[in-house]
Amino acid sequence: MATEKVLALTGIDRNYGQGDTLLTILKGADFSLSAGETVALVAPSGTGKSTLLHVAGLLEHPDAGEVVVGGEACSALSEDRRTAVRRRSIGFVYQFHHLLPEFSALENIMMPQLIAGLSMAEAKERAAQLLDYMRIGHRADHRPAELSGGEQQRVAIARAVANAPLVLLADEPTGNLDPETASYVFSALRALVRQSGLAALIATHNHELAQRMDRCVTIVDGKIVDYVV
């Protein structure tokens, strides 16, 4: 496995005001992710999983600490620069696929590539390759409503990696799927990580899937620690 650190969080604090109370979610949290590595984030609801993913994905600013993505320190960057780093280097997959209903599977995957400046022909070719890799190339012209839950989530994964990001952040990506479909979707995701050298941090309640990743972490008292499933 490659050892290049593509994501590093150092001394991360994240607090939220709740009335007159300051709620501490992350406190001095440290974490790093290497290229080609899959890490499971396993923690009960309310402990800060989504907050950690949002901070790592540059969707939220930490109150203290540094987030480094692809070697670039991001905490003090302008919003425009943070957005540019996020678009270039980070892909997101959520529990709900959030596909655009009026577009086909192929068009959904083309969209982020077109926004990034690729030509129509280039975007279409890569989208078709990703659909084939996820074994749903035959569903390219179908809209989300015509796809099964597992197919929709595979399209969402393909869309997330369409611009070849360094890091994939996934929040319960198989949470709405039956166990057999969840296992299949996860296998496709893991194969994609291995093939591309992508690094993936995947929040999940599914201990069986967590055991199939390279390592597991959890959040305890605002810190990120190793976890044995």
Side-chain angles (χ1 to χ4, degrees), residues 10-28:
T10 306
I12 297 296
D13 289 356
R14 189 68 178 105
N15 307 303
Y16 297 100
Q18 197 172 58
D20 295 329
T21 304
L22 188 66
L23 189 62
T24 298
I25 303 299
L26 299 174
K27 185 175 182 179

Side-chain angles (χ1 to χ4, degrees), residues 37-95:
E37 183 181 33
T38 57
V39 177
L41 174 58
V42 182
S45 298
T47 55
K49 289 195 310 255
S50 294
T51 297
L52 174 59
L53 291 172
H54 289 168
V55 170
L58 307 182
L59 295 171
E60 291 186 28
H61 284 275
D63 295 298
E66 184 59 83
V67 179
V68 178
V69 180
E72 183 169 5
C74 298
S75 293
L77 295 179
S78 68
E79 284 304 319
D80 285 349
R81 182 59 189 160
R82 283 167 63 89
T83 298
V85 172
R86 188 166 59 244
R87 285 179 176 170
R88 182 191 70 232
S89 300
I90 303 171
F92 297 91
V93 180
Y94 299 99
Q95 183 171 351

